Amino acid sequence: MADQSPSPGLSRPGKWARGAVGVLILFLASEALGRADIVDRSFLPPASTVTARAFELLGDAEFLHNVRVTLTAWALGLLIAIAIAVPLGLLLGSVPAVNTAVRAIVEFLRPIPSVALIPLAGLVLGSGLNMEVPLIVYASCWPILFNTMYGLDDVDPTAKETLRTFGFSRLQVLLRVSLPSSAPFIATGVRLSAAIALILAVGTEILSGFGEGLGIFIAQAGNVPDGTRDVLAGTVWAGCLGLIIDSVLVQTENRLFRWHHALRSGAS
Amino acid sequence: MDKVTGMLEITGLGHAYGSHRVLQGMDLKVSQGELVTIVGPSGCGKSTLLRCIAGLIRPSEGKVVLNGTPIDGVPDGLAVVFQDYSRSLLPWLTVRDNVALPLRRRGTGKAERRAQAVRALASVGLDDAASKYPWQLSGGMQQRVSIARALAYRPSMLLMDEPFGSVDAQTREDLEDLVLQVHRAEGMTILLVTHDIDESVYLGDRVVVLARNPGRIREELPVSLPAARDQIGTRAAPEFVRLRAEVGRLVRGGAAKDGPPTVHEKPVR
Ligand SMILES: Nc1ncnc2c1ncn2[C@@H]1O[C@H](COP(=O)(O)OP(=O)(O)OP(=O)(O)O)[C@@H](O)[C@H]1O
Ligand SMILES: [Mg+2]
């Protein structure tokens, strides 16, 4: 099997090299800016200071606890979103009557930016996981829902008919053909949602301002004089979490849906 | 009405996709254990006919009666080998699991499913492809997998839509003989659609020749060749040669006599 690189003409090591160069340039630039004393050091600490602090935080039990709280909210929200959006997408995608009935609601809700709901959720749901998780669920449902419906549209009718002629019921065909066939699309939706869920988790914490979580750590660090270093170190970790989650999901998709990539590259 | 003698009885069958008329006034009886081949020019509605029999589309006119009951939805004990063989295999399942899947619907146990799948694969000469995935196989091999899947299911009626389209000549002869053998050994009722005039005579107990625009039955020819056939002897028999010429004349003559030429061949959307 040939290596599947998503961007043609650039091998995997090549991509890594360019990515590393980009990070290095950014690092050096911010280091230079921080050391040049153009701005106050406590205002914009050099990159090396921030990186050192980020590593130091790995040994900080309280910080790790905060990260764990955020990841719990993230995982819980994402799992509930999958449990809601996939069955809902299957229903909307396979029963046209339900689809038309629900479409109006969907079209109304979808354009509302989830972040705009944070104050409302705070009022109604209070604070902590109680408000964080529902917000994450709400925001992460959309990509999963739409990708599930899109995936269903893409299912080969011949495959469905084949199973029907062997006597499988419509529900069985849905579960045995349509669902696995849409799975690569659903997985892409989950990956998009995973990023959104992390933004919502950290964002809600920052805006609510008290309690526990990575966002709380960042928000509270900002209140202390000289706190920029901690704010930036916390932000670096938020970014790293996003990166790790994304690459784990990409790897999993590539392994699980080899058949999908094989068909795509064979067909075109 | 006299008593139904045939297993499958089609009366006054007609079908139109929208305003595009594809089949008209078809009457056909197929008895239990018969092997009927259907031959006709491209686009005359052969696949549409099979889909009506399989209960995948509801014909706009006429009725299809199977074992005395009009079909409504997919009948039980049926297997179809689709013309789009590669798209009818599930790419996330191995070849063996694809073949075993229909048996699962019947509640066959896991070990038994596997054993039957492996046996069916061996019968089409694919012993060593069992744990591969369909997309790792050539077109002809995929076609054989879909045939194996239908055979493993042991249907009481088998519908095959140009099942040997993309296999090489040698494999094609082997598969033709396999179909004959299954037909004889298990008394399976088989309806086989083909483009190939020789094949329609070699395999059929009866050859149904279709005409097109709209698709209808031009002629039914009983094949009076002995039931035991072999690739060399049968094809040299005078009866075979006579039938082949006759079917050829009907198919070709039919195509020439058909009304407007290719204009109606594609549906206008
Ligand atoms: N789903 C469909 N919607 C509209 N028109 C269709 C559809 N399926 C087939 N047709 C048209 O009906 C006619 C008969 O099609 P059908 O596939 O039954 O022919 P066929 O005899 O199997 O042809 P071939 O030998 O090329 O497989 C053709 O003109 C085709 O374009
Ligand atoms: Mg056809």
Side-chain angles (χ1 to χ4, degrees):
Chain A
M1 285 276 98
D3 189 358
Q4 317 266 345
S5 68
S7 55
L10 211 57
S11 67
R12 189 167 286 175
K15 265 189 8 183
W16 276 105
R18 290 195 192 187
V21 168
V23 170
L24 190 68
I25 289 175
L26 186 68
F27 184 92
L28 290 177
S30 87
E31 182 76 19
L33 200 64
R35 295 213 177 271
D37 281 336
I38 301 169
V39 283
D40 185 13
R41 271 210 190 179
S42 69
F43 209 73
L44 183 65
S48 56
T49 314
V50 174
T51 314
R53 178 63 181 149
F55 276 108
E56 201 179 295
L57 283 175
L58 278 182
D60 184 331
E62 198 191 325
F63 176 78
L64 290 182
H65 175 69
N66 278 320
V67 170
R68 212 170 301 128
V69 168
T70 303
L71 283 181
T72 306
W74 169 83
L76 204 58
L78 190 61
L79 285 178
I80 297 175
I82 294 172
I84 293 175
V86 172
L88 191 63
L90 289 178
L91 183 69
L92 294 184
S94 50
V95 187
V98 182
N99 193 345
T100 37
V102 175
R103 166 138 302 160
I105 311 173
V106 169
E107 294 303 325
F108 171 72
L109 289 178
R110 187 156 72 122
I112 304 176
S114 316
V115 189
L117 294 174
I118 294 179
L120 179 67
L123 278 177
V124 180
L125 301 169
S127 64
L129 282 187
N130 269 352
M131 86 161 231
E132 212 174 328
V133 173
L135 272 175
I136 296 174
V137 171
Y138 176 81
S140 344
C141 267
W142 299 113
I144 304 176
L145 178 69
F146 287 109
N147 271 40
T148 306
M149 290 168 66
Y150 178 76
L152 278 185
D153 256 4
D154 202 60
V155 180
D156 198 315
T158 311
K160 287 196 277 189
E161 288 185 337
T162 305
L163 262 74
R164 291 232 291 121
T165 58
F166 283 117
F168 287 96
S169 69
R170 281 180 195 277
L171 181 65
Q172 286 172 318
V173 173
L174 183 71
L175 297 179
R176 290 192 179 279
V177 181
S178 304
L179 183 59
S181 170
S182 330
F185 296 93
I186 299 176
T188 307
V190 169
R191 184 155 48 86
L192 296 174
S193 291
I196 294 174
L198 193 64
I199 293 172
L200 259 283
V202 177
T204 330
E205 288 164 1
I206 290 179
L207 287 186
S208 69
F210 60 91
E212 294 175 318
L214 180 55
I216 303 294
F217 172 88
I218 295 174
Q220 288 181 346
N223 294 335
V224 208
D226 237 11
T228 319
R229 186 191 58 157
D230 277 11
V231 170
L232 288 176
T235 311
V236 164
W237 276 118
C240 286
L241 281 182
L243 210 62
I244 294 168
I245 288 169
D246 191 72
S247 57
V248 166
L249 290 180
V250 168
Q251 294 297 319
T252 315
E253 280 174 49
N254 285 345
R255 221 185 25 249
L256 283 181
F257 305 125
R258 223 152 52 87
W259 58 268
H260 183 70
H261 302 298
L263 286 185
R264 287 288 137 131
S265 56
S268 52
Chain B
M1 279 242 106
D2 52 353
K3 200 154 177 353
V4 182
T5 50
M7 177 196 201
L8 174 72
E9 189 164 359
I10 297 170
T11 33
L13 182 74
H15 189 71
Y17 292 109
S19 62
H20 177 55
R21 174 150 288 287
V22 178
L23 295 178
Q24 194 166 46
M26 295 193 103
D27 297 311
L28 183 66
K29 274 189 194 180
V30 179
S31 316
Q32 170 71 47
E34 205 180 2
L35 200 170
V36 173
T37 52
I38 298 171
V39 62
S42 182
C44 71
K46 302 183 293 295
S47 296
T48 305
L49 173 63
L50 287 195
R51 296 161 70 80
C52 288
I53 298 170
L56 290 171
I57 48 180
R58 193 183 289 274
S60 31
E61 296 154 21
K63 59 178 179 180
V64 181
V65 177
L66 193 66
N67 296 324
T69 37
I71 68 157
D72 177 34
V74 178
D76 197 29
L78 178 89
V80 183
V81 175
F82 283 88
Q83 196 171 1
D84 283 336
Y85 52 89
S86 70
R87 292 176 26 203
S88 87
L89 299 172
L90 304 181
W92 53 88
L93 295 184
T94 60
V95 163
R96 188 200 300 109
D97 290 347
N98 263 288
V99 174
L101 182 59
L103 301 171
R104 191 179 182 128
R105 210 268 309 157
R106 286 209 176 133
T108 313
K110 187 171 180 170
E112 180 59 20
R113 285 203 303 266
R114 287 197 149 213
Q116 290 189 23
V118 168
R119 225 175 300 136
L121 282 168
S123 73
V124 297
L126 284 179
D127 318 59
D128 42 1
S131 47
K132 292 204 168 124
Y133 287 88
W135 40 270
Q136 294 173 319
L137 306 181
S138 72
M141 290 163 92
Q142 291 178 20
Q143 198 163 24
R144 283 187 273 159
V145 174
S146 74
I147 293 170
R149 179 175 58 186
L151 294 180
Y153 188 66
R154 294 167 178 274
S156 52
M157 184 162 76
L158 175 60
L159 307 180
M160 304 179 98
D161 198 348
E162 300 188 25
F164 313 131
S166 63
V167 297
D168 60 280
Q170 179 58 49
T171 310
R172 184 182 189 118
E173 293 189 351
D174 292 346
L175 290 177
E176 286 171 354
D177 289 336
L178 176 67
V179 167
L180 282 176
Q181 181 219 318
V182 168
H183 165 61
R184 268 201 308 271
E186 318 209 356
M188 202 184 278
T189 311
I190 302 179
L191 238 73
L192 185 142
V193 163
T194 176
H195 262 134
D196 187 314
I197 291 163
D198 284 32
E199 184 170 277
S200 72
V201 176
Y202 180 71
L203 289 178
D205 297 326
R206 186 152 48 105
V207 180
V208 175
V209 183
L210 300 188
R212 72 172 157 198
N213 289 331
R216 59 199 183 279
I217 294 177
R218 174 169 296 279
E219 192 85 58
E220 284 186 42
L221 299 168
V223 177
S224 50
L225 290 164
R229 300 181 188 180
D230 72 281
Q231 294 285 354
I232 308 215
T234 303
R235 287 177 194 269
E239 171 70 356
F240 180 90
V241 176
R242 186 189 67 77
L243 276 167
R244 185 182 61 180
E246 168 124 34
V247 173
R249 187 179 56 75
L250 286 165
V251 171
R252 245 168 267 124
K257 262 185 275 168
D258 282 342
T262 48
V263 186
H264 287 304
E265 206 168 309
K266 290 264 150 62
V268 186
R269 281 169 220 231

